[in-house]
Amino acid sequence: MVIRQEEQCDYEAVYRLVKEAFATAEHSDGNEQELVTALRNSSSFIPELSLVAFEDGIAVGHILFTKVYIGECEELALAPLSVIPAYQRKGIGQALMKEGHDIARKMGYDYSIVLGHPQYYPKAGYVPAYMYGIKAPFDVPDENYMAIRLNDRAKRIDGIVRYDNAFGI
């Protein structure tokens, strides 16, 4: 498997893979591929944190981290993470998260937040966001709103997350 930064020539393949990845997802509005496009065109987009996983030259996974604000701190939101169904449960999503976290850490980010499945994201180190004082701007069970501290020296951060308008929140 090869993981690299998304390039413009990948946009169509990523659009298709995100759509396919969420087509049968239990918690999906079916617009995740449109969210990726909107975020790519937003001021919160960070090209280095839009990553694509390839198997035998085929785009099989994608992850996107974009800027959010918690209080006065610029941090990250992971959304979405997509792996096409035929390649799920093979460690691709975890590998994408690890690579993204490593890049984000080197870029100086301290936290990443995610709204997701409480059995999946903790495998990558995510814990309920309230443990770091991070609060969602909407009602959501604590077990589904998670954060990871990317830098061991990062201070506790208290505040409500402010997302880019592309999220529609």
PDB file of all heavy atoms in Angstrom, residues 29-63:
ATOM      1  N   ASP A  29     -25.239  10.657   5.519  1.00  0.00           N
ATOM      2  CA  ASP A  29     -26.276  11.414   4.821  1.00  0.00           C
ATOM      3  C   ASP A  29     -26.124  11.282   3.310  1.00  0.00           C
ATOM      4  O   ASP A  29     -26.876  11.863   2.551  1.00  0.00           O
ATOM      5  CB  ASP A  29     -26.276  12.884   5.252  1.00  0.00           C
ATOM      6  CG  ASP A  29     -24.984  13.602   4.902  1.00  0.00           C
ATOM      7  OD1 ASP A  29     -24.116  13.033   4.216  1.00  0.00           O
ATOM      8  OD2 ASP A  29     -24.847  14.772   5.314  1.00  0.00           O
ATOM      9  N   GLY A  30     -25.114  10.519   2.868  1.00  0.00           N
ATOM     10  CA  GLY A  30     -24.902  10.289   1.446  1.00  0.00           C
ATOM     11  C   GLY A  30     -24.214  11.434   0.738  1.00  0.00           C
ATOM     12  O   GLY A  30     -24.032  11.386  -0.478  1.00  0.00           O
ATOM     13  N   ASN A  31     -23.791  12.442   1.486  1.00  0.00           N
ATOM     14  CA  ASN A  31     -23.166  13.614   0.874  1.00  0.00           C
ATOM     15  C   ASN A  31     -21.701  13.799   1.260  1.00  0.00           C
ATOM     16  O   ASN A  31     -21.149  14.880   1.064  1.00  0.00           O
ATOM     17  CB  ASN A  31     -23.948  14.880   1.236  1.00  0.00           C
ATOM     18  CG  ASN A  31     -25.299  14.901   0.567  1.00  0.00           C
ATOM     19  OD1 ASN A  31     -25.421  14.573  -0.612  1.00  0.00           O
ATOM     20  ND2 ASN A  31     -26.315  15.276   1.312  1.00  0.00           N
ATOM     21  N   GLU A  32     -21.081  12.775   1.801  1.00  0.00           N
ATOM     22  CA  GLU A  32     -19.693  12.906   2.250  1.00  0.00           C
ATOM     23  C   GLU A  32     -18.759  13.313   1.118  1.00  0.00           C
ATOM     24  O   GLU A  32     -17.828  14.098   1.321  1.00  0.00           O
ATOM     25  CB  GLU A  32     -19.212  11.601   2.904  1.00  0.00           C
ATOM     26  CG  GLU A  32     -19.794  11.343   4.265  1.00  0.00           C
ATOM     27  CD  GLU A  32     -21.210  10.777   4.272  1.00  0.00           C
ATOM     28  OE1 GLU A  32     -21.747  10.457   3.183  1.00  0.00           O
ATOM     29  OE2 GLU A  32     -21.792  10.647   5.360  1.00  0.00           O
ATOM     30  N   GLN A  33     -19.004  12.814  -0.095  1.00  0.00           N
ATOM     31  CA  GLN A  33     -18.157  13.185  -1.231  1.00  0.00           C
ATOM     32  C   GLN A  33     -18.310  14.674  -1.564  1.00  0.00           C
ATOM     33  O   GLN A  33     -17.351  15.334  -1.961  1.00  0.00           O
ATOM     34  CB  GLN A  33     -18.438  12.303  -2.456  1.00  0.00           C
ATOM     35  CG  GLN A  33     -19.797  12.473  -3.087  1.00  0.00           C
ATOM     36  CD  GLN A  33     -20.919  11.719  -2.368  1.00  0.00           C
ATOM     37  OE1 GLN A  33     -20.702  11.021  -1.386  1.00  0.00           O
ATOM     38  NE2 GLN A  33     -22.140  11.864  -2.867  1.00  0.00           N
ATOM     39  N   GLU A  34     -19.507  15.214  -1.356  1.00  0.00           N
ATOM     40  CA  GLU A  34     -19.726  16.648  -1.573  1.00  0.00           C
ATOM     41  C   GLU A  34     -19.042  17.468  -0.480  1.00  0.00           C
ATOM     42  O   GLU A  34     -18.534  18.566  -0.746  1.00  0.00           O
ATOM     43  CB  GLU A  34     -21.226  16.968  -1.616  1.00  0.00           C
ATOM     44  CG  GLU A  34     -22.002  16.237  -2.686  1.00  0.00           C
ATOM     45  CD  GLU A  34     -21.559  16.532  -4.109  1.00  0.00           C
ATOM     46  OE1 GLU A  34     -20.959  17.595  -4.354  1.00  0.00           O
ATOM     47  OE2 GLU A  34     -21.808  15.680  -4.982  1.00  0.00           O
ATOM     48  N   LEU A  35     -19.017  16.925   0.736  1.00  0.00           N
ATOM     49  CA  LEU A  35     -18.316  17.587   1.830  1.00  0.00           C
ATOM     50  C   LEU A  35     -16.826  17.697   1.509  1.00  0.00           C
ATOM     51  O   LEU A  35     -16.218  18.739   1.720  1.00  0.00           O
ATOM     52  CB  LEU A  35     -18.527  16.839   3.150  1.00  0.00           C
ATOM     53  CG  LEU A  35     -17.745  17.365   4.355  1.00  0.00           C
ATOM     54  CD1 LEU A  35     -18.137  18.809   4.681  1.00  0.00           C
ATOM     55  CD2 LEU A  35     -17.958  16.452   5.560  1.00  0.00           C
ATOM     56  N   VAL A  36     -16.237  16.620   0.990  1.00  0.00           N
ATOM     57  CA  VAL A  36     -14.816  16.651   0.626  1.00  0.00           C
ATOM     58  C   VAL A  36     -14.566  17.763  -0.391  1.00  0.00           C
ATOM     59  O   VAL A  36     -13.627  18.554  -0.249  1.00  0.00           O
ATOM     60  CB  VAL A  36     -14.338  15.280   0.085  1.00  0.00           C
ATOM     61  CG1 VAL A  36     -12.940  15.382  -0.517  1.00  0.00           C
ATOM     62  CG2 VAL A  36     -14.349  14.238   1.193  1.00  0.00           C
ATOM     63  N   THR A  37     -15.410  17.842  -1.407  1.00  0.00           N
ATOM     64  CA  THR A  37     -15.255  18.877  -2.430  1.00  0.00           C
ATOM     65  C   THR A  37     -15.384  20.270  -1.815  1.00  0.00           C
ATOM     66  O   THR A  37     -14.573  21.161  -2.094  1.00  0.00           O
ATOM     67  CB  THR A  37     -16.295  18.689  -3.551  1.00  0.00           C
ATOM     68  OG1 THR A  37     -16.093  17.398  -4.152  1.00  0.00           O
ATOM     69  CG2 THR A  37     -16.172  19.761  -4.615  1.00  0.00           C
ATOM     70  N   ALA A  38     -16.385  20.465  -0.964  1.00  0.00           N
ATOM     71  CA  ALA A  38     -16.591  21.769  -0.334  1.00  0.00           C
ATOM     72  C   ALA A  38     -15.407  22.145   0.559  1.00  0.00           C
ATOM     73  O   ALA A  38     -14.944  23.294   0.548  1.00  0.00           O
ATOM     74  CB  ALA A  38     -17.892  21.764   0.469  1.00  0.00           C
ATOM     75  N   LEU A  39     -14.910  21.181   1.328  1.00  0.00           N
ATOM     76  CA  LEU A  39     -13.786  21.455   2.223  1.00  0.00           C
ATOM     77  C   LEU A  39     -12.514  21.764   1.432  1.00  0.00           C
ATOM     78  O   LEU A  39     -11.721  22.621   1.819  1.00  0.00           O
ATOM     79  CB  LEU A  39     -13.554  20.297   3.186  1.00  0.00           C
ATOM     80  CG  LEU A  39     -14.595  20.181   4.297  1.00  0.00           C
ATOM     81  CD1 LEU A  39     -14.466  18.859   5.027  1.00  0.00           C
ATOM     82  CD2 LEU A  39     -14.488  21.353   5.260  1.00  0.00           C
ATOM     83  N   ARG A  40     -12.331  21.067   0.318  1.00  0.00           N
ATOM     84  CA  ARG A  40     -11.179  21.311  -0.538  1.00  0.00           C
ATOM     85  C   ARG A  40     -11.154  22.763  -1.039  1.00  0.00           C
ATOM     86  O   ARG A  40     -10.099  23.322  -1.293  1.00  0.00           O
ATOM     87  CB  ARG A  40     -11.242  20.368  -1.740  1.00  0.00           C
ATOM     88  CG  ARG A  40      -9.948  19.717  -2.077  1.00  0.00           C
ATOM     89  CD  ARG A  40     -10.094  18.933  -3.369  1.00  0.00           C
ATOM     90  NE  ARG A  40     -10.210  17.511  -3.127  1.00  0.00           N
ATOM     91  CZ  ARG A  40     -11.161  16.733  -3.627  1.00  0.00           C
ATOM     92  NH1 ARG A  40     -12.110  17.226  -4.395  1.00  0.00           N
ATOM     93  NH2 ARG A  40     -11.169  15.454  -3.358  1.00  0.00           N
ATOM     94  N   ASN A  41     -12.335  23.337  -1.185  1.00  0.00           N
ATOM     95  CA  ASN A  41     -12.462  24.706  -1.687  1.00  0.00           C
ATOM     96  C   ASN A  41     -12.617  25.736  -0.568  1.00  0.00           C
ATOM     97  O   ASN A  41     -12.948  26.889  -0.834  1.00  0.00           O
ATOM     98  CB  ASN A  41     -13.656  24.793  -2.647  1.00  0.00           C
ATOM     99  CG  ASN A  41     -13.397  24.009  -3.907  1.00  0.00           C
ATOM    100  OD1 ASN A  41     -12.348  24.138  -4.527  1.00  0.00           O
ATOM    101  ND2 ASN A  41     -14.333  23.169  -4.285  1.00  0.00           N
ATOM    102  N   SER A  42     -12.401  25.327   0.663  1.00  0.00           N
ATOM    103  CA  SER A  42     -12.584  26.217   1.808  1.00  0.00           C
ATOM    104  C   SER A  42     -11.252  26.709   2.356  1.00  0.00           C
ATOM    105  O   SER A  42     -10.188  26.170   2.020  1.00  0.00           O
ATOM    106  CB  SER A  42     -13.354  25.489   2.915  1.00  0.00           C
ATOM    107  OG  SER A  42     -12.485  24.593   3.591  1.00  0.00           O
ATOM    108  N   SER A  43     -11.332  27.692   3.218  1.00  0.00           N
ATOM    109  CA  SER A  43     -10.116  28.220   3.855  1.00  0.00           C
ATOM    110  C   SER A  43      -9.578  27.274   4.926  1.00  0.00           C
ATOM    111  O   SER A  43      -8.459  27.458   5.404  1.00  0.00           O
ATOM    112  CB  SER A  43     -10.398  29.595   4.468  1.00  0.00           C
ATOM    113  OG  SER A  43     -11.386  29.485   5.465  1.00  0.00           O
ATOM    114  N   SER A  44     -10.333  26.250   5.291  1.00  0.00           N
ATOM    115  CA  SER A  44      -9.869  25.302   6.312  1.00  0.00           C
ATOM    116  C   SER A  44      -9.077  24.136   5.714  1.00  0.00           C
ATOM    117  O   SER A  44      -8.536  23.316   6.441  1.00  0.00           O
ATOM    118  CB  SER A  44     -11.048  24.770   7.122  1.00  0.00           C
ATOM    119  OG  SER A  44     -11.882  23.975   6.312  1.00  0.00           O
ATOM    120  N   PHE A  45      -9.003  24.087   4.396  1.00  0.00           N
ATOM    121  CA  PHE A  45      -8.308  22.988   3.710  1.00  0.00           C
ATOM    122  C   PHE A  45      -6.800  23.078   3.914  1.00  0.00           C
ATOM    123  O   PHE A  45      -6.201  24.147   3.803  1.00  0.00           O
ATOM    124  CB  PHE A  45      -8.637  23.015   2.218  1.00  0.00           C
ATOM    125  CG  PHE A  45      -8.018  21.898   1.433  1.00  0.00           C
ATOM    126  CD1 PHE A  45      -8.363  20.580   1.663  1.00  0.00           C
ATOM    127  CD2 PHE A  45      -7.092  22.170   0.437  1.00  0.00           C
ATOM    128  CE1 PHE A  45      -7.806  19.546   0.927  1.00  0.00           C
ATOM    129  CE2 PHE A  45      -6.526  21.143  -0.312  1.00  0.00           C
ATOM    130  CZ  PHE A  45      -6.881  19.833  -0.067  1.00  0.00           C
ATOM    131  N   ILE A  46      -6.199  21.936   4.216  1.00  0.00           N
ATOM    132  CA  ILE A  46      -4.746  21.815   4.379  1.00  0.00           C
ATOM    133  C   ILE A  46      -4.303  20.715   3.404  1.00  0.00           C
ATOM    134  O   ILE A  46      -4.503  19.525   3.682  1.00  0.00           O
ATOM    135  CB  ILE A  46      -4.363  21.419   5.820  1.00  0.00           C
ATOM    136  CG1 ILE A  46      -4.978  22.398   6.823  1.00  0.00           C
ATOM    137  CG2 ILE A  46      -2.844  21.348   5.967  1.00  0.00           C
ATOM    138  CD1 ILE A  46      -4.946  21.905   8.257  1.00  0.00           C
ATOM    139  N   PRO A  47      -3.737  21.065   2.252  1.00  0.00           N
ATOM    140  CA  PRO A  47      -3.390  20.053   1.236  1.00  0.00           C
ATOM    141  C   PRO A  47      -2.563  18.887   1.770  1.00  0.00           C
ATOM    142  O   PRO A  47      -2.788  17.731   1.381  1.00  0.00           O
ATOM    143  CB  PRO A  47      -2.614  20.855   0.184  1.00  0.00           C
ATOM    144  CG  PRO A  47      -3.092  22.258   0.350  1.00  0.00           C
ATOM    145  CD  PRO A  47      -3.391  22.421   1.819  1.00  0.00           C
ATOM    146  N   GLU A  48      -1.635  19.169   2.680  1.00  0.00           N
ATOM    147  CA  GLU A  48      -0.770  18.118   3.221  1.00  0.00           C
ATOM    148  C   GLU A  48      -1.534  17.080   4.033  1.00  0.00           C
ATOM    149  O   GLU A  48      -1.015  15.997   4.307  1.00  0.00           O
ATOM    150  CB  GLU A  48       0.322  18.721   4.116  1.00  0.00           C
ATOM    151  CG  GLU A  48       1.258  19.656   3.409  1.00  0.00           C
ATOM    152  CD  GLU A  48       0.780  21.104   3.350  1.00  0.00           C
ATOM    153  OE1 GLU A  48      -0.404  21.388   3.627  1.00  0.00           O
ATOM    154  OE2 GLU A  48       1.609  21.961   3.019  1.00  0.00           O
ATOM    155  N   LEU A  49      -2.769  17.424   4.441  1.00  0.00           N
ATOM    156  CA  LEU A  49      -3.557  16.517   5.279  1.00  0.00           C
ATOM    157  C   LEU A  49      -4.771  15.956   4.554  1.00  0.00           C
ATOM    158  O   LEU A  49      -5.745  15.530   5.168  1.00  0.00           O
ATOM    159  CB  LEU A  49      -3.964  17.225   6.574  1.00  0.00           C
ATOM    160  CG  LEU A  49      -2.791  17.493   7.518  1.00  0.00           C
ATOM    161  CD1 LEU A  49      -3.217  18.363   8.688  1.00  0.00           C
ATOM    162  CD2 LEU A  49      -2.174  16.187   8.000  1.00  0.00           C
ATOM    163  N   SER A  50      -4.689  15.923   3.227  1.00  0.00           N
ATOM    164  CA  SER A  50      -5.658  15.210   2.397  1.00  0.00           C
ATOM    165  C   SER A  50      -4.866  14.083   1.751  1.00  0.00           C
ATOM    166  O   SER A  50      -4.062  14.306   0.841  1.00  0.00           O
ATOM    167  CB  SER A  50      -6.256  16.135   1.332  1.00  0.00           C
ATOM    168  OG  SER A  50      -7.229  15.445   0.575  1.00  0.00           O
ATOM    169  N   LEU A  51      -5.063  12.879   2.277  1.00  0.00           N
ATOM    170  CA  LEU A  51      -4.219  11.737   1.906  1.00  0.00           C
ATOM    171  C   LEU A  51      -5.026  10.652   1.214  1.00  0.00           C
ATOM    172  O   LEU A  51      -6.180  10.409   1.560  1.00  0.00           O
ATOM    173  CB  LEU A  51      -3.562  11.147   3.160  1.00  0.00           C
ATOM    174  CG  LEU A  51      -2.756  12.126   4.023  1.00  0.00           C
ATOM    175  CD1 LEU A  51      -2.302  11.437   5.305  1.00  0.00           C
ATOM    176  CD2 LEU A  51      -1.571  12.675   3.249  1.00  0.00           C
ATOM    177  N   VAL A  52      -4.370   9.982   0.259  1.00  0.00           N
ATOM    178  CA  VAL A  52      -5.000   8.900  -0.486  1.00  0.00           C
ATOM    179  C   VAL A  52      -4.160   7.631  -0.328  1.00  0.00           C
ATOM    180  O   VAL A  52      -2.927   7.686  -0.397  1.00  0.00           O
ATOM    181  CB  VAL A  52      -5.124   9.244  -1.991  1.00  0.00           C
ATOM    182  CG1 VAL A  52      -5.908   8.169  -2.731  1.00  0.00           C
ATOM    183  CG2 VAL A  52      -5.778  10.594  -2.198  1.00  0.00           C
ATOM    184  N   ALA A  53      -4.846   6.507  -0.118  1.00  0.00           N
ATOM    185  CA  ALA A  53      -4.184   5.203  -0.051  1.00  0.00           C
ATOM    186  C   ALA A  53      -4.436   4.469  -1.366  1.00  0.00           C
ATOM    187  O   ALA A  53      -5.570   4.433  -1.856  1.00  0.00           O
ATOM    188  CB  ALA A  53      -4.733   4.383   1.116  1.00  0.00           C
ATOM    189  N   PHE A  54      -3.378   3.886  -1.901  1.00  0.00           N
ATOM    190  CA  PHE A  54      -3.458   3.141  -3.155  1.00  0.00           C
ATOM    191  C   PHE A  54      -3.015   1.703  -2.948  1.00  0.00           C
ATOM    192  O   PHE A  54      -2.051   1.431  -2.242  1.00  0.00           O
ATOM    193  CB  PHE A  54      -2.531   3.770  -4.217  1.00  0.00           C
ATOM    194  CG  PHE A  54      -2.952   5.127  -4.663  1.00  0.00           C
ATOM    195  CD1 PHE A  54      -2.526   6.257  -3.982  1.00  0.00           C
ATOM    196  CD2 PHE A  54      -3.774   5.278  -5.764  1.00  0.00           C
ATOM    197  CE1 PHE A  54      -2.908   7.523  -4.397  1.00  0.00           C
ATOM    198  CE2 PHE A  54      -4.165   6.546  -6.189  1.00  0.00           C
ATOM    199  CZ  PHE A  54      -3.734   7.668  -5.505  1.00  0.00           C
ATOM    200  N   GLU A  55      -3.739   0.792  -3.568  1.00  0.00           N
ATOM    201  CA  GLU A  55      -3.365  -0.623  -3.647  1.00  0.00           C
ATOM    202  C   GLU A  55      -3.310  -0.960  -5.129  1.00  0.00           C
ATOM    203  O   GLU A  55      -4.304  -0.761  -5.843  1.00  0.00           O
ATOM    204  CB  GLU A  55      -4.408  -1.511  -2.957  1.00  0.00           C
ATOM    205  CG  GLU A  55      -4.369  -1.496  -1.460  1.00  0.00           C
ATOM    206  CD  GLU A  55      -3.319  -2.417  -0.866  1.00  0.00           C
ATOM    207  OE1 GLU A  55      -2.728  -3.234  -1.596  1.00  0.00           O
ATOM    208  OE2 GLU A  55      -3.077  -2.306   0.344  1.00  0.00           O
ATOM    209  N   ASP A  56      -2.167  -1.419  -5.593  1.00  0.00           N
ATOM    210  CA  ASP A  56      -2.004  -1.777  -7.009  1.00  0.00           C
ATOM    211  C   ASP A  56      -2.454  -0.649  -7.928  1.00  0.00           C
ATOM    212  O   ASP A  56      -3.107  -0.872  -8.954  1.00  0.00           O
ATOM    213  CB  ASP A  56      -2.768  -3.065  -7.329  1.00  0.00           C
ATOM    214  CG  ASP A  56      -2.291  -4.246  -6.491  1.00  0.00           C
ATOM    215  OD1 ASP A  56      -1.061  -4.362  -6.292  1.00  0.00           O
ATOM    216  OD2 ASP A  56      -3.139  -5.019  -6.024  1.00  0.00           O
ATOM    217  N   GLY A  57      -2.124   0.582  -7.556  1.00  0.00           N
ATOM    218  CA  GLY A  57      -2.442   1.739  -8.380  1.00  0.00           C
ATOM    219  C   GLY A  57      -3.881   2.218  -8.311  1.00  0.00           C
ATOM    220  O   GLY A  57      -4.251   3.170  -8.995  1.00  0.00           O
ATOM    221  N   ILE A  58      -4.702   1.580  -7.478  1.00  0.00           N
ATOM    222  CA  ILE A  58      -6.111   1.943  -7.351  1.00  0.00           C
ATOM    223  C   ILE A  58      -6.307   2.715  -6.046  1.00  0.00           C
ATOM    224  O   ILE A  58      -5.852   2.274  -4.978  1.00  0.00           O
ATOM    225  CB  ILE A  58      -7.007   0.691  -7.345  1.00  0.00           C
ATOM    226  CG1 ILE A  58      -6.844  -0.091  -8.651  1.00  0.00           C
ATOM    227  CG2 ILE A  58      -8.469   1.058  -7.124  1.00  0.00           C
ATOM    228  CD1 ILE A  58      -7.425  -1.484  -8.596  1.00  0.00           C
ATOM    229  N   ALA A  59      -6.999   3.858  -6.125  1.00  0.00           N
ATOM    230  CA  ALA A  59      -7.315   4.627  -4.919  1.00  0.00           C
ATOM    231  C   ALA A  59      -8.367   3.862  -4.126  1.00  0.00           C
ATOM    232  O   ALA A  59      -9.480   3.658  -4.603  1.00  0.00           O
ATOM    233  CB  ALA A  59      -7.833   6.013  -5.297  1.00  0.00           C
ATOM    234  N   VAL A  60      -7.998   3.410  -2.931  1.00  0.00           N
ATOM    235  CA  VAL A  60      -8.903   2.594  -2.117  1.00  0.00           C
ATOM    236  C   VAL A  60      -9.288   3.261  -0.800  1.00  0.00           C
ATOM    237  O   VAL A  60     -10.214   2.818  -0.130  1.00  0.00           O
ATOM    238  CB  VAL A  60      -8.303   1.192  -1.841  1.00  0.00           C
ATOM    239  CG1 VAL A  60      -8.117   0.422  -3.140  1.00  0.00           C
ATOM    240  CG2 VAL A  60      -6.989   1.284  -1.080  1.00  0.00           C
ATOM    241  N   GLY A  61      -8.580   4.338  -0.425  1.00  0.00           N
ATOM    242  CA  GLY A  61      -8.886   5.013   0.822  1.00  0.00           C
ATOM    243  C   GLY A  61      -8.498   6.479   0.770  1.00  0.00           C
ATOM    244  O   GLY A  61      -7.622   6.872  -0.009  1.00  0.00           O
ATOM    245  N   HIS A  62      -9.169   7.276   1.582  1.00  0.00           N
ATOM    246  CA  HIS A  62      -8.902   8.715   1.645  1.00  0.00           C
ATOM    247  C   HIS A  62      -9.197   9.200   3.053  1.00  0.00           C
ATOM    248  O   HIS A  62     -10.118   8.715   3.717  1.00  0.00           O
ATOM    249  CB  HIS A  62      -9.796   9.463   0.640  1.00  0.00           C
ATOM    250  CG  HIS A  62      -9.670  10.944   0.710  1.00  0.00           C
ATOM    251  ND1 HIS A  62     -10.613  11.739   1.358  1.00  0.00           N
ATOM    252  CD2 HIS A  62      -8.718  11.790   0.256  1.00  0.00           C
ATOM    253  CE1 HIS A  62     -10.236  13.002   1.261  1.00  0.00           C
ATOM    254  NE2 HIS A  62      -9.101  13.069   0.608  1.00  0.00           N
ATOM    255  N   ILE A  63      -8.414  10.153   3.502  1.00  0.00           N
ATOM    256  CA  ILE A  63      -8.646  10.807   4.786  1.00  0.00           C
ATOM    257  C   ILE A  63      -8.425  12.299   4.609  1.00  0.00           C
ATOM    258  O   ILE A  63      -7.573  12.715   3.816  1.00  0.00           O
ATOM    259  CB  ILE A  63      -7.724  10.245   5.893  1.00  0.00           C
ATOM    260  CG1 ILE A  63      -8.198  10.657   7.281  1.00  0.00           C
ATOM    261  CG2 ILE A  63      -6.272  10.631   5.654  1.00  0.00           C
ATOM    262  CD1 ILE A  63      -7.523   9.888   8.412  1.00  0.00           C
TER     263      ILE A  63
END
